[in-house]
Amino acid sequence: FPVTIGPGGQLQRYDLPGNYQYTFAAFSANGDQIITIRKERLPGPMLSDRLEELKTSEICIMNKDGGQFRALPIPHEIIMIAALSPDGKKIAYWAAKTIRKPGSKTLVADFDVREFNLTTNSDYLFAGPFNFYHAGPINYLSDSKLLVGAFGPRMEPGEI
């Protein structure tokens, strides 16, 4: 992961740094770059071990040929989905703050949209905070506007 289809329909697999699970990948609008989300593989068979892995999420970027692979200097958070701006200078992503209690309807909550500027190497809250209950697709409509799918903001019983 990720896998692409090259010239003539040939399948291409990237040899990425080990000891990680790559959970998401997407191409830039022009197809020259790939962004991916990865998390460390932690030992242990328990659900609590998998939940700890979520906290190690990182966003990486590379050229379509696999060159210039790098992890972005953002805080380790629970990162779910990301998108690259049309000009290729920014990455917007969903970051969650909360791992929910066992038995909850979802594993994580309190999502906000963050943005990383590849030119300045700065990471910031895109808007909000909103603490959405659940996050869905995220797409740039332009270099400065996003279309996001979300449920929320999150409220616990008694907060309504």
Side-chain angles (χ1 to χ4, degrees), residues 37-39 53-58 75-79:
I37 298 172
R38 70 180 185 182
K39 59 186 177 182
E53 284 179 344
L54 290 174
K55 297 177 187 176
T56 68
S57 299
E58 296 180 299
H76 282 264
E77 297 184 273
I78 303 166
I79 301 169

Side-chain angles (χ1 to χ4, degrees), residues 73-139:
I74 59 175
H76 282 264
E77 297 184 273
I78 303 166
I79 301 169
M80 303 305 280
I81 302 172
L84 196 58
S85 64
D87 65 6
K89 295 180 181 177
K90 295 178 279 186
I91 296 174
Y93 63 95
W94 282 114
K97 295 183 215 76
T98 304
I99 294 179
R100 303 201 59 217
K101 297 174 189 167
S104 299
K105 292 182 181 180
T106 61
L107 289 177
V108 295
D110 298 323
F111 286 91
D112 280 307
V113 176
R114 299 192 61 84
E115 190 172 57
F116 185 84
N117 187 310
L118 293 162
T119 305
T120 62
N121 270 350
S122 57
D123 180 74
Y124 44 87
L125 196 60
F126 183 82
F130 295 109
N131 297 322
F132 287 112
Y133 176 74
H134 185 72
I138 185 167
N139 296 288

